[in-house]
Amino acid sequence: MLTLFTAAAVLAACAGLRWFLNRPERKDAFFWGRRIRLTALWNDGAAFSLPLKRKLVTALSILILPLVWVFRRRSPIGAGLALGGGLSNLWERLRRGAVYDYVQFPKLPKIGRYVWNLADLAILIGGLLLALLERKK
């Protein structure tokens, strides 16, 4: 139940934030001493600019999401984060052919050049929790 609640919350937060930020009148903005940049980028490829085609990324998402569900007992919150973020990006990819990315961390070494969205961050944190934690019985 915790996994489903977490996934639903992430999915709703991703949809709400995308709706709020994807407006033509919104301009790029910097926050927290230029450490965070809100921008707009439609990404039809894979995360971290991996050279994967859109159809392959979509197919991999469809195959991986059920596996996340299988491992939900390992970390219910981690699975919920990964499922919610994965479903959000998959839904957007199926609907629009691309994912709307909007946040960048320009001062971070190596990853500062990438533009993310909330779903990407949820997938990353959820994947780490699934990999590192095991639920105590």
Side-chain angles (χ1 to χ4, degrees):
M1 191 65 142
L2 182 58
T3 300
L4 290 176
F5 178 76
T6 305
V10 168
L11 195 55
C14 289
L17 198 52
R18 183 183 314 113
W19 172 82
F20 179 73
L21 292 173
N22 187 21
R23 297 171 294 152
E25 68 273 9
R26 190 181 67 76
K27 305 288 184 216
D28 283 9
F30 285 90
F31 300 94
W32 198 29
R34 301 185 70 82
R35 289 179 183 92
I36 298 174
R37 175 183 177 211
L38 286 183
T39 188
L41 172 75
W42 283 98
N43 176 7
D44 65 350
F48 304 112
S49 301
L50 293 173
L52 301 175
K53 301 286 185 203
R54 179 176 43 128
K55 287 183 180 179
L56 179 59
V57 173
T58 302
L60 287 172
S61 296
I62 291 169
L63 292 172
I64 290 170
L65 285 172
L67 289 175
V68 173
W69 179 257
V70 169
F71 289 102
R72 71 189 181 279
R73 293 188 202 278
R74 185 173 184 87
S75 172
I77 293 175
L81 289 169
L83 284 171
L87 287 170
S88 175
N89 277 350
L90 177 62
W91 174 251
E92 197 164 7
R93 224 174 263 293
L94 291 171
R95 243 179 101 217
R96 299 182 183 252
V99 173
Y100 182 66
D101 292 331
Y102 44 78
V103 67
Q104 186 177 26
F105 306 100
K107 293 194 175 186
L108 287 179
K110 301 200 187 222
I111 66 166
R113 66 185 175 122
Y114 300 111
V115 182
W116 308 64
N117 62 32
L118 180 60
D120 297 334
L121 296 172
I123 293 166
L124 178 66
I125 293 168
L128 288 171
L129 290 173
L130 282 168
L132 300 174
L133 297 179
E134 187 165 352
R135 185 175 180 185
K136 304 288 186 219
K137 297 190 175 155

